[in-house]
Amino acid sequence: YKQAYEAAKAQENTQVQVNTPVKVTPVATVNSTSDYDSAPVRQEQVSVVSVSGELKAYSVVCGSFSLQANAQGLKDFLIGEGYKAGIVKNVEKNMFRVIIGSYDTKADAARAREAFKVKYPSRADFQGSWILLNK
């Protein structure tokens, strides 16, 4: 046993470590303004239930509920996370939409939606966030 150990130790000391250069591929930025301008939107007529500030043309929806109490629970969580979350209601479909923010342009809403999805990669429900265009 001792001879095997010493032979292995001697071999370990004689091995030469070779550093192979690693090829680095630059990361390309693909999110130009035109990419955000082409983001899909869903157009609905909604009324304000509780929104911090003014409801603008575009909003990022991260949850839809038939019960207002469930929407309120998500809104409270998001406010705790630092979002200006709110609730709007689609009367036609009787659904409460929880929004993380309201924006003047589709590009601003698309940027906010992408940042939101990146912040919560393990939340499948948040990965389905979408942009609402208020009719």
Side-chain angles (χ1 to χ4, degrees):
Y1 174 78
K2 186 175 179 182
Q3 286 177 334
Y5 173 77
E6 288 174 354
K9 200 67 168 161
Q11 186 179 11
E12 184 180 278
N13 290 335
T14 60
Q15 289 180 350
V16 177
Q17 203 170 24
V18 178
N19 292 329
T20 308
V22 177
K23 182 178 179 185
V24 178
T25 306
V27 177
T29 303
V30 285
N31 292 332
S32 68
T33 303
S34 62
D35 292 336
Y36 289 122
D37 287 335
S38 64
V41 298
R42 212 182 292 178
Q43 190 171 1
E44 296 181 352
Q45 185 171 358
V46 295
S47 59
V48 173
V49 174
S50 64
V51 173
S52 174
E54 171 189 357
L55 183 65
K56 298 179 181 175
Y58 297 93
S59 299
V60 177
V61 177
C62 65
S64 297
F65 302 92
S66 58
L67 296 175
Q68 185 174 352
N70 293 342
Q72 185 64 45
L74 180 57
K75 176 189 169 198
D76 292 343
F77 167 78
L78 292 168
I79 287 174
E81 293 286 301
Y83 289 95
K84 293 181 181 181
I87 301 172
V88 296
K89 183 176 183 181
N90 179 326
V91 178
E92 185 179 289
K93 294 183 180 183
N94 197 30
M95 292 296 289
F96 294 92
R97 311 292 194 197
V98 179
I99 61 173
I100 61 164
S102 194
Y103 308 91
D104 289 321
T105 67
K106 182 168 55 167
D108 288 344
R111 274 190 282 282
R113 183 190 69 177
E114 291 307 312
F116 180 73
K117 289 168 61 173
V118 166
K119 185 173 179 181
Y120 300 98
S122 62
R123 294 270 318 243
D125 54 339
F126 290 171
Q127 295 304 307
S129 298
W130 50 279
I131 300 172
L132 166 71
L133 172 59
N134 190 16
K135 288 185 188 178

